[in-house]
């Protein structure tokens, strides 16, 4: 069974993704575009978050029942580049928990290696948004979802949010975690032998933090 993939159809998302791909963008411009895309994709990814009636408040004319989020939300950026998506999501979920996971891709095997895990001992949230700008091979995504499921979050309560993905990476996630919904701005078909998406957006971490050699 394949999982759900939601590719944004919004014209603003499409234009900002096109701008993000441009190699001539400065790190400052790249960061700004990533932050803007984070908010736009986050808006789409949060459309099905449940709400409840809260305490009674007053409008200028009369009282009304407030609307509040039912679920406790966590943002899980995959270090380092996932940090760039946090601020955009915090505009939507200002009270969200921010939980950090660090994984890097080993250059030869292209397999993920976990080096940092800041999850509490037991889950204190109901829904997790994994934030990772790029899904390339899909191996890091699968490993990150594994960590959250082992922590106690069901796949139905995990949403994987990226800017650009390869078709191979999407297929890999769907094969292992068909219960997780994936949200992206765009999908590219080509993945080169070094595990980079073509045309892609380049190395997101290096472009974000101006560390390209």
């Amino acid at each position: 069974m394949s999982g759900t993939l939601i590719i944004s159809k919004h014209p603003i998302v499409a234009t900002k993704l096109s701008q993000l791909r441009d190699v001539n963008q400065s790190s400052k411009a790249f960061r700004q575009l990533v932050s803007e895309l984070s908010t736009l994709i986050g808006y789409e990814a949060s459309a099905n978050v449940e709400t409840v009636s809260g305490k009674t408040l007053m409008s200028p004319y009369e009282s009304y029942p407030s609307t509040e989020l039912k679920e406790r939300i966590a943002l899980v950026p995959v270090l380092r580049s996932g940090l760039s998506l946090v601020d955009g999501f915090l505009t939507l979920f200002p009270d969200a928990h921010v939980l950090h996971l660090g994984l890097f891709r080993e250059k030869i095997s292209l397999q993920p290696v976990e080096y940092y895990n800041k999850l509490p001992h037991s889950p204190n949230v109901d829904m997790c948004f994994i934030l990772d700008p790029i899904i390339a091979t899909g191996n890091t995504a699968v490993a990150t979802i594994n960590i959250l499921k082992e922590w106690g979050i069901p796949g139905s309560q995990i949403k994987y949010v990226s800017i650009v993905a390869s078709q191979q990476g999407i297929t890999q996630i769907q094969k292992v975690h068909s219960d997780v919904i994936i949200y992206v701005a765009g999908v590219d078909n080509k993945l080169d032998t070094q595990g980079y998406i073509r045309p892609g957006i380049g190395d997101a971490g290096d472009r974000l933090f101006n560390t390209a050699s």
Side-chain angles (χ1 to χ4, degrees):
M1 176 182 177
S2 62
T4 300
L5 168 65
I6 298 178
I7 305 172
S8 177
K9 303 299 182 184
H10 200 291
I12 301 301
V13 171
T15 56
K16 290 187 180 296
L17 174 57
S18 179
Q19 294 165 16
L20 192 70
R21 294 185 190 275
D22 184 357
V23 69
N24 294 311
Q25 296 286 7
S26 67
S27 289
K28 178 181 179 181
F30 190 87
R31 287 192 297 270
Q32 182 63 35
L33 286 165
V34 169
S35 179
E36 292 169 358
L37 281 164
S38 174
T39 302
L40 292 167
I41 301 170
Y43 179 78
E44 296 182 344
S46 59
N48 294 324
V49 173
E50 294 186 24
T51 60
V52 294
S53 294
K55 60 185 179 182
T56 300
L57 300 176
M58 285 295 298
S59 81
Y61 302 113
E62 60 183 51
S63 63
Y64 69 96
S66 64
T67 300
E68 301 174 358
L69 295 180
K70 178 180 180 181
E71 296 160 314
R72 299 168 297 173
I73 302 296
L75 311 178
V76 187
V78 180
L79 303 179
R80 62 181 170 158
S81 58
L83 292 171
S84 62
L85 301 175
V86 171
D87 285 348
F89 265 77
L90 284 175
T91 64
L92 303 173
F93 301 108
D95 297 320
H97 301 251
V98 182
L99 310 175
H100 298 83
L101 289 176
L103 297 95
F104 70 88
R105 188 173 65 179
E106 201 279 322
K107 291 184 178 180
I108 304 301
S109 67
L110 303 181
Q111 295 300 310
V113 178
E114 181 184 340
Y115 67 90
Y116 187 81
N117 185 325
K118 198 62 175 176
L119 299 178
H121 178 71
S122 299
N124 57 350
V125 297
D126 304 303
M127 176 177 289
C128 292
F129 290 85
I130 301 174
L131 308 180
D132 188 6
I134 296 174
I135 299 173
T137 64
N139 294 330
T140 296
V142 167
T144 304
I145 296 168
N146 284 341
I147 292 169
L148 290 182
K149 284 187 174 181
E150 290 169 4
W151 186 47
I153 304 298
S156 60
Q157 292 296 97
I158 298 172
K159 298 175 184 286
Y160 208 102
V161 179
S162 289
I163 292 175
V164 66
S166 73
Q167 185 56 59
Q168 177 181 325
I170 294 296
T171 300
Q172 174 73 351
I173 298 172
Q174 292 177 329
K175 181 173 67 175
V176 182
H177 296 296
S178 62
D179 51 352
V180 172
I181 302 177
I182 307 164
Y183 296 85
V184 296
V187 175
D188 294 342
N189 289 324
K190 186 177 179 181
L191 192 67
D192 67 21
T193 56
Q194 294 181 304
Y196 289 106
I197 303 173
R198 301 297 183 94
I201 59 173
D203 186 307
D206 283 344
R207 295 190 72 189
L208 284 163
F209 302 112
N210 201 20
T211 54
S213 56

